Amino acid sequence: MVDSLRLHDLRPGLLDGRIQGGTVARKDKVTFGDRPALPEHMLSLRAKIHQRVLQEMDAETLRSATRSGSDRDEVQRRAQQAMLATLTEDGIQVVPSLRNILLAEVMDELLGYGPIQPLLDDPAITEVVVNAPREVFAEKAGRLRRTDRMFNDNAHVLRIINKIVAPLGRRVDESSPMVDARLPDGSRVNIVVPPVALRGPAITIRKFSRIPFTVQDLIQKGTLTEPMATFLRACVESRLNMLISGGTGSGKTTTLNVLSSFIPHHERVVTIEDAAELQLHQEDLVTLEARPGTVEGKSAVTIRDLVRNSLRMRPDRIVVGEVRGGESLDMLQAMNTGHDGSLSTIHANSPRDALARLETLTLMSGVDLPMRAITKQIASAIQVIVQQGRLQDGTRKVTHITEVHGMEGDTVLLQDVFVFEQTGVSPEGRVIGEHRPTGLRPRALSRLEAAGIRLPPSLFLR
């Protein structure tokens, strides 16, 4: 196997046919993208060539190639020269296929984010995770699997981290060991370094889709059905306040993006996010993004600050990427004071849990209100909850579309309009089930009809 070879064993022809794109390079690791990674024993050679290029090239050419790609050919020519010179000086012979991989990885080090660059370039990969230098995972088709990509050591991971955060004017070190950032393409990045991360620097990247999903994409993937999409579109167009609930990685932001696309183009929309991900195309659109504070805790702009400020911007709709703190009270007050049709997401495992979590978050605002008053405000502000779930086979589905029917005593009344019923699991591990209406007529139909939208009763029949 490739892993058992030593550098002096890399003679011409020895590795011919051993490395093929898209195959497993090691027994427990999977290759994603169009090429496998270098064997582990060649990592030091990659580092040596990379360092040689940095010493021989001027920094401005590298910056220019990174920013615009204008000098990329020159960088590649110099990298190839450095590779051939290093191989000759060290007396190492490498087969052409492996030499091409070596050159490509050196280019990734120079112009990209090192070993994880091929994973970021693969449009089918949705998440990239670095737990340790030799533990790099990627999510594809809903499954997180270990890849054959490897960093040299913790210092190598830190260098890539600095490459991510430096252009943003951010820093990560012992005094500030956690940071949220955003790649130029919009992908979200979370970074944790020692002493918080005990095994070394950790990176989590939620990739940003360059082409936003449409409702038809979600229907084709089985996330929801045509009748569910028709009902949700009608709810958005008739300005119902909606909350999208789900666990981490369940697809809440994707669904929020799709629902936001139903907002009429003539309306003024203000979006508020921790890290900008929504891709709306309204003519009158304002996009706001929270800003973390400095190391001293100064100059922070929170989601709550932005929600409060948005009320002074004459919005027709307020779209909050995720409520996770005291801003929930401001959002509820906005929903109850004329800003109908607002949308947001929340972390919760069921529609009932979403309301309970919203109560808890509202208490974090610091306002001294009795619980019943908070619950009543929630029940009057939210009309529809869309519950998103990530099933055991990795697929993402809307598991509930639930109406909020006000309160009875101290309890908020909920009624499911559509649900996903799982009936089993196939021998291949795929979840078996179907979306179906509950057969109950939504109370929201009167609101929809007042807005000029009429849905056929058959849409809700079992």
Side-chain angles (χ1 to χ4, degrees):
M1 291 296 292
V2 171
D3 285 348
S4 65
L5 297 174
R6 298 182 301 276
L7 281 179
H8 58 76
D9 286 330
L10 299 177
R11 295 186 298 272
L14 186 61
L15 295 182
D16 286 348
R18 297 282 186 88
I19 299 180
Q20 300 294 330
T23 62
V24 177
R26 283 186 56 177
K27 187 175 182 181
D28 59 339
K29 299 181 181 181
V30 177
T31 293
F32 291 121
D34 59 355
R35 70 175 192 269
L38 279 178
E40 189 168 348
H41 58 269
M42 293 190 68
L43 299 185
S44 58
L45 181 61
R46 177 183 67 190
K48 186 175 183 179
I49 297 171
H50 171 241
Q51 190 61 36
R52 182 168 186 157
V53 177
L54 292 179
Q55 292 172 351
E56 295 178 355
M57 280 195 70
D58 62 285
E60 183 54 40
T61 301
L62 279 175
R63 282 195 292 268
S64 174
T66 303
R67 286 194 303 263
S68 63
S70 58
D71 293 320
R72 183 180 178 86
D73 290 342
E74 173 63 15
V75 174
Q76 182 161 340
R77 184 182 68 81
R78 300 288 289 273
Q80 191 164 16
Q81 288 178 347
M83 178 184 69
L84 295 176
T86 302
L87 294 177
T88 301
E89 291 172 4
D90 293 353
I92 300 172
Q93 293 182 325
V94 181
V95 294
S97 58
L98 196 55
R99 187 182 301 171
N100 292 337
I101 295 172
L102 178 59
L103 177 61
E105 294 212 4
V106 171
M107 289 294 292
D108 288 338
E109 293 289 334
L110 293 167
L111 304 181
Y113 298 113
I116 60 175
Q117 188 60 47
L119 306 179
L120 299 176
D121 292 337
D122 189 339
I125 290 177
T126 54
E127 199 144 7
V128 178
V129 178
V130 180
N131 295 340
R134 309 297 167 92
E135 297 177 20
V136 179
F137 293 76
E139 183 187 65
K140 192 172 187 177
R143 290 187 60 194
L144 194 64
R145 304 172 69 184
R146 188 171 181 174
T147 74
D148 59 354
R149 306 292 156 180
M150 290 175 286
F151 290 83
N152 292 2
D153 47 32
N154 284 335
H156 188 189
V157 181
L158 280 173
R159 182 166 58 78
I160 297 302
I161 286 174
N162 288 326
K163 205 169 185 179
I164 292 172
V165 302
L168 305 175
R170 308 281 294 280
R171 77 178 198 195
V172 56
D173 50 32
E174 288 189 8
S175 62
S176 179
M178 297 182 293
V179 66
D180 287 310
R182 186 154 45 90
L183 297 182
D185 68 353
S187 297
R188 286 190 309 187
V189 185
N190 176 266
I191 294 165
V192 186
V193 302
V196 174
L198 301 183
R199 299 178 58 206
I203 307 173
T204 305
I205 301 177
R206 178 74 57 83
K207 285 182 60 180
F208 183 83
S209 176
R210 292 177 177 84
I211 303 175
F213 284 107
T214 66
V215 67
Q216 287 302 319
D217 292 327
L218 298 190
I219 292 172
Q220 291 172 6
K221 289 176 177 291
T223 303
L224 74 172
T225 62
E226 189 80 47
M228 296 166 71
T230 301
F231 177 66
L232 291 177
R233 178 189 288 271
C235 290
V236 174
E237 292 178 350
S238 58
R239 302 182 64 84
L240 297 183
N241 293 321
M242 302 174 68
L243 190 63
I244 302 167
S245 167
T248 301
S250 60
K252 298 185 300 298
T253 303
T254 298
T255 299
L256 176 61
N257 212 29
V258 168
L259 295 185
S260 299
S261 70
F262 299 149
I263 297 174
H265 280 263
H266 65 272
E267 295 188 9
R268 178 171 172 80
V269 182
V270 178
T271 67
I272 301 168
E273 300 174 82
D274 228 1
E277 287 184 288
L278 296 175
Q279 296 169 281
L280 275 65
H281 300 287
Q282 274 68 19
E283 293 181 2
D284 194 350
L285 173 67
V286 179
T287 301
L288 305 178
E289 184 179 52
R291 185 182 72 184
T294 62
V295 177
E296 295 78 21
K298 299 178 181 178
S299 304
V301 179
T302 65
I303 293 287
R304 188 172 191 185
D305 295 331
L306 296 177
V307 171
R308 287 175 170 176
N309 187 76
S310 70
L311 301 179
R312 306 184 185 98
M313 301 176 70
R314 198 215 166 274
D316 290 314
R317 310 259 188 161
I318 300 174
V319 180
V320 182
E322 181 184 340
V323 288
R324 60 178 69 179
E327 70 274 1
S328 57
L329 176 62
D330 301 284
M331 185 188 73
L332 291 172
Q333 290 176 337
M335 289 177 170
N336 277 318
T337 54
H339 296 91
D340 296 333
S342 296
L343 301 164
S344 186
T345 73
I346 192 169
H347 274 86
N349 294 324
S350 71
R352 178 71 62 185
D353 288 345
L355 297 182
R357 178 161 168 76
L358 201 52
E359 290 178 347
T360 303
L361 295 178
T362 303
L363 292 173
M364 294 171 62
S365 66
V367 176
D368 188 14
L369 289 173
M371 182 57 73
R372 179 173 172 78
I374 293 175
T375 305
K376 190 173 182 179
Q377 192 165 39
I378 292 172
S380 61
I382 307 294
Q383 281 90 47
V384 177
I385 300 173
V386 180
Q387 183 67 37
Q388 189 95 11
R390 180 176 175 178
L391 306 186
Q392 63 196 68
D393 61 354
T395 57
R396 296 167 172 85
K397 295 187 183 295
V398 173
T399 59
H400 298 77
I401 297 179
T402 304
E403 281 190 304
V404 181
H405 284 180
M407 293 183 65
E408 186 175 277
D410 293 333
T411 305
V412 179
L413 299 178
L414 300 180
Q415 175 180 295
D416 294 333
V417 181
F418 293 92
V419 296
F420 176 78
E421 286 190 348
Q422 181 176 338
T423 56
V425 179
S426 72
E428 297 79 25
R430 305 294 291 181
V431 169
I432 301 172
E434 65 173 347
H435 289 100
R436 65 166 183 83
T438 59
L440 301 174
R441 184 180 186 273
R443 287 191 187 180
L445 287 185
S446 58
R447 176 90 173 259
L448 270 57
E449 290 169 358
I453 301 172
R454 293 185 177 275
L455 300 180
S458 59
L459 204 68
F460 309 102
L461 295 179
R462 292 196 64 168

